[in-house]
Amino acid sequence: MPLTSGRSGAAAKGVGAVTALSVAGLVVAGMTVAITHDAEKTAALEAAGTRVEADVVAAERVESADEVVYEIVLRIPVPDGVTFDVEHRCTHYACAAATRRSATTRPVIVDPMTRAWAVIH
């Protein structure tokens, strides 16, 4: 004997579908906010920053069961003559190429005051 009537089972399915759609809507909204936030940060960095060529100090191709990513260590120069090293991970073909060549550079935007940076792809 079923524990629920056909009507309450249909209602539960309807509630489940509405809940799933709501969660999906929240995820998409969250992704949109994150993308918008990143775009705003990038635009601010481009306005305040300087384009420089960062030396690739180290580069490695890292494989997992799901994907291949490229980890590169960049030495970023700032106008006052100081440099600092950062690690960049991505799947972009230009960064993949950096793992196959020695003595290469990558274009970067850097804010000399805050040391915020972004690799230009």
Side-chain angles (χ1 to χ4, degrees):
M1 178 167 171
L3 298 177
T4 59
S5 71
R7 282 184 155 176
S8 62
K13 287 180 185 176
V15 168
V18 168
T19 302
L21 289 173
S22 297
V23 169
L26 287 174
V27 169
V28 169
M31 289 171 52
T32 302
V33 168
I35 290 168
T36 300
H37 182 68
D38 286 347
E40 289 169 357
K41 286 175 30 181
T42 301
L45 182 58
E46 283 185 319
T50 304
R51 287 179 179 241
V52 298
E53 288 294 318
D55 292 324
V56 176
V57 178
E60 182 179 1
R61 181 177 193 254
V62 180
E63 290 185 52
S64 70
D66 298 338
E67 66 181 346
V68 174
V69 296
Y70 304 95
E71 295 179 354
I72 59 177
V73 177
L74 299 167
R75 182 157 295 141
I76 300 175
V78 288
D80 63 6
V82 176
T83 62
F84 63 99
D85 292 355
V86 298
E87 186 175 301
H88 174 64
R89 285 178 57 104
C90 78
T91 58
H92 194 272
Y93 69 89
C95 291
T99 65
R100 295 188 295 271
R101 288 183 263 165
S102 61
T104 190
T105 61
R106 293 290 300 127
V108 173
I109 299 173
V110 62
D111 181 342
M113 301 302 291
T114 65
R115 302 274 170 101
W117 58 277
V119 173
I120 301 169
H121 288 112

